[in-house]
Amino acid sequence: MDGLTITKCTGYTECQQLLQDNEFKEILEMSPTEAEFLFYIIKKFNPKNLLEIGIAAGGSSLLLLEAIKNQKDAVLYSIDCCNLYYRDKSLKTGYFAKRKIGSTDKWKTYTGGLAYEYMDTFDKKFDFVLLDTRHMNPGELLDFLMVYPYMSENAVLVLHDTAMHTLAIEMQRSITNCLLMSAINGEKYIPETYEPVYFPSKHPTERLHVNKRCVPNIGAIKIDNKLKNNIYNVFNLLSLPWYYFPEAEKLSEIGTFLQKHYDKKYIALYESTVNYQLQVKTIKEEIKNTENSYQQMKREIINMKNSINKLEREYLKKEFDGLSEKIEKLQASVNLIEGKSI
């Protein structure tokens, strides 16, 4: 069945207890309903092999670990491209969850690389995947293409920040998970109620809220077999504008990795799209450099004008002072002559 299920996802005591910790809420970057929705999905589908792409401080990791703690043989594998927490580089990625739970056989973390660098080491199919990384293209589009071949039949995919683009004008680029929520085939789940898109109090966009209640900011998809024949829908999204660029070497390695799992027609599409995006990047950099040069020239011209004006003022002052001195001398001479005449 391919449709939409609107879920009630409240009443999970373990989740509510975690949310009473203010420090946890600060690093989680999820609303209470989003956290409980994540709990609901785990409890509904009881996955054994869980994959998380995007760890940050470990807020969602801690939620997932709490949800599976009584599920025998359930293990969470978490990947993050950063070794250090993106909001505080003095802390390691996943620091909060590691501090809370200590050592456990239920959690295995891999940091410093992208998903393709680890997937072949797992030797298993995942029945649950959480994608929560860049939220801007190509971000989770690439993440999904890298992990999809390792997902079991009817696996569940959870996408967070599917409504980040509604938070503020400056965040309208954050559409990637919304695109995936629409493009991927399967039964879809969203929470019945939801709070405003949530960010911690120190987040720089807090003052820029535009739409505080629009659509849910989290969703899940129970993927069906139709996606195998419709994977073009995801590859095609790579042609939309990119708002950040992985290193060219990484993009090449991703292409080589994808060749092992997708038909050559999709690889050709990937390669042509990446080449196009890199050309766009080059053009944008040239435009930016030209703009920077233009602005630099403007500043230099302004400085030159200011210098000329200063020199003119100094010259005119010098001339004026010289004339004033001559007038004073002439006046003195006139006064002297007039005195002798008397």
Side-chain angles (χ1 to χ4, degrees):
M1 180 180 178
D2 187 17
L4 176 65
T5 300
I6 300 176
T7 67
K8 292 182 178 180
C9 45
T10 58
Y12 296 101
T13 304
E14 309 101 306
C15 182
Q16 292 170 355
Q17 288 175 345
L18 281 175
L19 292 168
Q20 290 175 8
D21 182 337
N22 289 330
E23 186 181 4
F24 174 69
K25 287 193 294 185
E26 182 70 17
I27 61 91
L28 178 59
E29 297 185 29
M30 281 186 181
S31 72
T33 296
E34 291 162 15
E36 291 199 286
F37 177 83
L38 198 54
F39 246 75
Y40 162 82
I41 293 296
I42 297 299
K43 296 301 183 182
K44 178 176 177 61
F45 294 102
N46 296 309
K48 298 296 183 184
N49 297 315
L50 295 83
L51 178 64
E52 175 188 34
I53 310 294
I55 303 172
S60 56
S61 307
L62 189 57
L63 272 174
L64 293 170
L65 290 167
E66 183 66 27
I68 66 170
K69 69 180 181 180
N70 295 322
Q71 291 178 217
K72 186 179 179 181
D73 300 327
V75 179
L76 171 64
Y77 298 79
S78 299
I79 298 173
D80 199 293
C81 64
C82 300
N83 288 314
L84 301 176
Y85 177 38
Y86 80 100
R87 288 177 63 197
D88 185 344
K89 297 300 177 65
S90 69
L91 300 168
K92 290 185 178 180
T93 294
Y95 80 94
F96 185 85
K98 291 176 181 177
R99 189 178 74 199
K100 288 288 185 180
I101 66 172
S103 178
T104 175
D105 293 335
K106 283 189 167 293
W107 191 28
K108 302 183 185 300
T109 60
Y110 305 82
T111 62
L114 298 176
Y116 76 91
E117 299 175 68
Y118 305 107
M119 298 308 298
D120 286 333
T121 67
F122 298 141
D123 191 28
K124 62 176 79 280
K125 291 284 188 177
F126 293 96
D127 46 6
F128 172 92
V129 174
L130 169 63
L131 294 185
D132 191 4
T133 59
R134 294 297 296 266
H135 317 308
M136 294 187 296
N137 294 343
E140 286 89 342
L141 301 179
L142 293 177
D143 291 330
F144 179 75
L145 290 173
M146 288 186 277
V147 305
Y148 175 56
Y150 299 84
M151 296 174 70
S152 63
E153 187 174 341
N154 295 318
V156 175
L157 172 70
V158 173
L159 299 165
H160 186 232
D161 289 322
T162 53
M164 184 179 279
H165 56 289
T166 70
L167 174 63
I169 297 298
E170 70 170 20
M171 300 188 76
Q172 288 184 331
R173 295 177 173 185
S174 300
I175 60 173
T176 307
N177 282 351
C178 180
L179 294 172
L180 283 174
M181 194 71 192
S182 299
I184 294 174
N185 297 88
E187 174 71 14
K188 298 179 181 179
Y189 299 80
I190 58 174
E192 181 180 51
T193 59
Y194 45 91
E195 305 91 343
V197 178
Y198 175 78
F199 276 96
S201 58
K202 296 180 182 178
H203 197 279
T205 62
E206 182 186 39
R207 67 188 186 282
L208 297 173
H209 284 176
V210 173
N211 193 336
K212 292 193 174 185
R213 185 181 176 94
C214 178
V215 291
N217 192 43
I218 194 169
I221 308 170
K222 185 179 181 183
I223 295 175
D224 62 27
N225 291 329
K226 291 181 182 179
L227 182 58
K228 293 179 181 178
N229 298 321
N230 292 299
I231 197 64
Y232 168 78
N233 293 349
V234 180
F235 274 96
N236 189 49
L237 293 176
L238 289 170
S239 66
L240 292 171
W242 288 14
Y243 297 111
Y244 80 98
F245 290 84
E247 297 174 1
E249 182 180 355
K250 292 284 188 183
L251 289 169
S252 177
E253 291 175 358
I254 291 172
T256 301
F257 173 81
L258 296 179
Q259 286 177 12
K260 298 185 295 183
H261 304 288
Y262 296 99
D263 188 275
K264 61 183 180 181
K265 61 189 175 187
Y266 299 120
I267 302 306
L269 179 60
Y270 171 82
E271 291 174 348
S272 63
T273 302
V274 167
N275 288 334
Y276 161 74
Q277 297 290 3
L278 290 176
Q279 290 176 20
V280 170
K281 178 188 177 187
T282 299
I283 293 171
K284 285 183 176 180
E285 288 174 346
E286 290 174 352
I287 292 172
K288 184 177 180 180
N289 290 336
T290 301
E291 175 64 21
N292 289 340
S293 297
Y294 170 71
Q295 294 298 333
Q296 179 63 29
M297 288 177 64
K298 278 183 65 176
R299 288 191 293 269
E300 290 176 357
I301 290 171
I302 291 171
N303 290 336
M304 288 176 63
K305 286 182 175 179
N306 290 337
S307 297
I308 290 170
N309 290 336
K310 181 180 179 182
L311 288 172
E312 286 180 343
R313 287 194 300 271
E314 290 176 350
Y315 174 77
L316 290 173
K317 184 176 184 303
K318 185 176 180 181
E319 288 294 305
F320 177 78
D321 290 344
L323 286 172
S324 296
E325 185 179 349
K326 287 180 181 179
I327 291 171
E328 289 175 358
K329 288 180 179 179
L330 285 171
Q331 185 63 51
S333 298
V334 169
N335 291 340
L336 181 63
I337 292 170
E338 289 178 345
K340 288 181 177 180
S341 299
I342 296 172

